Amino acid sequence: MKAAVIGLGVEGKKAVNSLLKHGWEVYATDLNINVDLNGLDLPMLSMNMMDGEQTVSIVGENITVDLGFTNPYAIEQCDAIAMSPSMFGGTFAERLLEEGDLLSDVLIKHKDIFTIGITGTNGKTTTVHMIKSILENAGKKVLVGGNGGGGFSGYYDLILEANEGDYDILLVEVCDMTLDFCRYAFDFDMIGLTNIGNDHMNVHKTIANYKNSLVRFFEDRLIFTAYNQDFNSDFKEAASKTIPYFEYQDELQLFGKFNLLNAGLATAIARELKIPKDVIGDTLSNFKAVEGRLDVYKINDAQVYVGKTDNSDALASILSERDFYAVFIGTPRHNETHRLDILDVAVKYNPEVIVLFPGLDDTLDIAIYRLNSLGYMGNIITVNSLDQIIELVAEYSHEDAILIGGNGQDTIIDIQERIKLISEKLSK
């Protein structure tokens, strides 16, 4: 079998890796000749530069990659297409699908599995893992994955894995930018919404547009929304049935009211699936933070909070519950300056120190300019390495609390691992 992968962003690269892993031959293409190929498991490649280096062809075992152009004939020879979910619904995507079927139309076993989708701005990954743990403790065989940006292997990997395995439930994390694609590719039996927040406004433009995308996604589906969620009346009109959920009432090993809501959503879905209450309670009482998500460590006198908080609502939900002496913030990509509004939130809560570090890109200069324009009167520090971050944590470790977050999931996981090792060593 041969597949064409159109677009080599996060999802595209994950699709290539998954297809090769499952024994497919791959033709991959991206019109950007300078696209970042890091993360691709490319075997034994040779590279040809053409037309004054305006296009590149890379050939390897079971794979051909064209950069700067697309070969329509190569796509026609493929059995399936895996396009970037962000392209779905556009004119170019529709033209491509006329030349072949999307992978989800060729492999359809996943559509026969009971499928749960979890979407929203914040809390998706934690909620997915809560539900996974509950279901597995109830004896269910669960296939989990989805949104490549959430740390999973991508939507196409889910489809490929479901085609080869035997599962009771398919559990999909759905990014708010891929709602239309996921509506087409998966057959959801129930959908949970964590929240609606201020993120990816470069795509949505307005909260109203985001709401309208959710309305389309929820159409004729059983959905779970927070009891006080905005637009619940719109969602109720679109869905076949709506079930409200509330904050979880028992104790968790996680910080924050937002995690009580995540647990409330997981509980509501589990109850609808007739999972015993004792299984739900035991699972959630023992549930620990997912890698890269907010966790708390003791370093000398300080509680050090570390986790991805890459939008203003995520950061505000933490800062509203605790005062922090220092807030460390990873900076966004150059083309995602809208995410710099996390600095507006940080300034509002006025920590003594704001430490900036490269998260997804080194946009430190832009971040400094933003802080100065906001009139922040505290101390601004920039660092460029993990060692420098650890040195500052040690310096501030006799204060009450420190927060390390912002953009850059991989970077924050590295910080989290180092902080955890130091905390464990100090506790012995």
Side-chain angles (χ1 to χ4, degrees):
M1 299 284 281
K2 184 175 182 179
V5 177
I6 315 298
L8 291 172
V10 172
E11 287 288 344
K13 289 187 284 190
K14 288 181 179 291
V16 169
N17 293 339
S18 296
L19 286 160
L20 291 173
K21 180 181 70 175
H22 286 86
W24 285 59
E25 185 180 350
V26 176
Y27 170 72
T29 177
D30 196 298
L31 295 179
N32 178 9
I33 192 173
N34 297 312
V35 67
D36 183 5
L37 298 181
N38 287 328
L40 275 181
D41 298 330
L42 295 177
M44 298 296 293
L45 296 176
S46 63
M47 181 179 295
N48 296 316
M49 312 290 282
M50 297 175 288
D51 299 332
E53 301 187 1
Q54 296 304 304
T55 61
V56 176
S57 285
I58 307 172
V59 181
E61 184 180 355
N62 293 326
I63 184 169
T64 298
V65 180
D66 286 339
L67 302 179
F69 73 107
T70 295
N71 183 345
Y73 177 76
I75 296 174
E76 290 174 4
Q77 304 310 304
C78 293
D79 301 290
I81 293 174
M83 71 174 68
S84 170
S86 62
M87 295 170 56
F88 187 81
T91 303
F92 181 57
E94 291 176 357
R95 189 164 68 247
L96 285 173
L97 289 178
E98 291 175 358
E99 301 173 10
D101 291 319
L102 201 65
L103 186 67
S104 61
D105 296 319
V106 175
L107 303 180
I108 60 173
K109 185 179 175 181
H110 66 287
K111 294 188 177 182
D112 294 328
I113 304 171
F114 190 93
T115 302
I116 304 169
I118 300 298
T119 193
T121 302
N122 298 308
K124 296 185 296 296
T125 303
T126 295
T127 304
V128 162
H129 282 278
M130 285 177 170
I131 296 169
K132 173 180 181 288
S133 297
I134 291 169
L135 295 176
E136 288 181 340
N137 287 340
K140 305 293 184 182
K141 188 173 182 182
V142 186
L143 177 59
V144 179
N147 172 28
F152 295 108
S153 294
Y155 300 116
Y156 293 111
D157 188 72
L158 265 180
I159 294 167
L160 290 161
E161 291 287 343
N163 189 62
E164 297 181 0
D166 184 19
Y167 298 94
D168 299 313
I169 293 176
L170 184 63
L171 182 53
V172 188
E173 177 180 320
V174 180
C175 175
D176 58 284
M177 296 185 294
T178 62
L179 294 167
D180 290 335
F181 168 84
C182 287
R183 168 83 183 186
Y184 179 88
F186 298 96
D187 187 5
F188 291 102
D189 294 279
M190 55 177 60
I191 300 170
L193 175 67
T194 57
N195 46 65
I196 298 175
N198 181 32
D199 198 10
H200 300 136
M201 286 300 123
N202 57 328
V203 174
H204 300 304
K205 307 304 181 185
T206 67
I207 289 292
N209 287 340
Y210 177 20
K211 179 265 293 184
N212 291 337
S213 295
L214 286 167
V215 167
R216 291 195 302 273
F217 185 57
F218 292 156
E219 187 176 359
D220 297 327
R221 296 290 184 266
L222 166 61
I223 67 167
F224 299 78
T225 64
Y227 70 98
N228 59 349
Q229 176 62 62
D230 291 339
F231 311 117
N232 267 341
S233 59
D234 298 88
F235 300 150
K236 185 175 182 179
E237 185 175 339
S240 62
K241 181 181 179 181
T242 60
I243 297 177
Y245 65 88
F246 304 83
E247 288 184 5
Y248 188 66
Q249 296 301 304
D250 294 326
E251 288 189 9
L252 297 174
Q253 297 186 41
L254 306 178
F255 168 81
K257 293 181 180 178
F258 51 91
N259 274 318
L260 292 176
L261 273 171
N262 293 336
L265 173 54
T267 298
I269 289 175
R271 287 179 176 171
E272 184 68 17
L273 294 173
K274 310 302 183 186
I275 305 300
K277 289 183 179 180
D278 61 326
V279 173
I280 299 171
D282 289 346
T283 302
L284 292 177
S285 67
N286 291 295
F287 186 85
K288 299 185 185 302
V290 178
E291 182 182 56
R293 272 42 182 186
L294 191 71
D295 209 349
V296 187
Y297 309 91
K298 182 73 171 178
I299 304 289
N300 294 326
D301 300 323
Q303 296 288 326
V304 182
Y305 296 67
V306 189
K308 187 181 78 155
T309 48
D310 57 2
N311 61 74
S312 58
D313 288 313
L315 186 61
S317 65
I318 298 170
L319 297 183
S320 65
E321 293 196 46
R322 177 89 198 244
D323 291 330
F324 293 91
Y325 176 82
V327 175
F328 293 60
I329 297 177
T331 55
R333 296 184 181 91
H334 286 90
N335 65 339
E336 294 181 332
T337 52
H338 61 283
R339 283 187 165 177
L340 287 171
D341 61 7
I342 59 177
L343 297 176
D344 301 41
V345 173
V347 169
K348 175 183 176 182
Y349 287 91
N350 198 31
E352 292 289 330
V353 182
I354 294 179
V355 180
L356 302 172
F357 63 91
L360 292 169
D361 276 338
D362 185 347
T363 49
L364 296 177
D365 289 346
I366 301 173
I368 292 170
Y369 180 83
R370 179 70 163 251
L371 285 175
N372 287 330
S373 69
L374 291 167
Y376 174 63
M377 302 302 292
N379 191 12
I380 302 173
I381 298 176
T382 60
V383 294
N384 288 283
S385 70
L386 177 56
D387 286 341
Q388 289 176 309
I389 291 172
I390 299 303
E391 288 174 4
L392 286 177
V393 169
E395 180 179 339
Y396 304 145
S397 66
H398 295 291
E399 304 295 339
D400 288 335
I402 303 166
L403 173 63
I404 304 174
N407 292 266
Q409 177 173 270
D410 292 341
T411 301
I412 288 172
I413 287 174
D414 290 341
I415 296 169
Q416 198 173 62
E417 289 175 349
R418 180 78 75 87
I419 294 291
K420 182 179 179 181
L421 286 174
I422 294 170
S423 177
E424 291 174 345
K425 183 176 181 181
L426 291 174
S427 66
K428 292 180 178 178

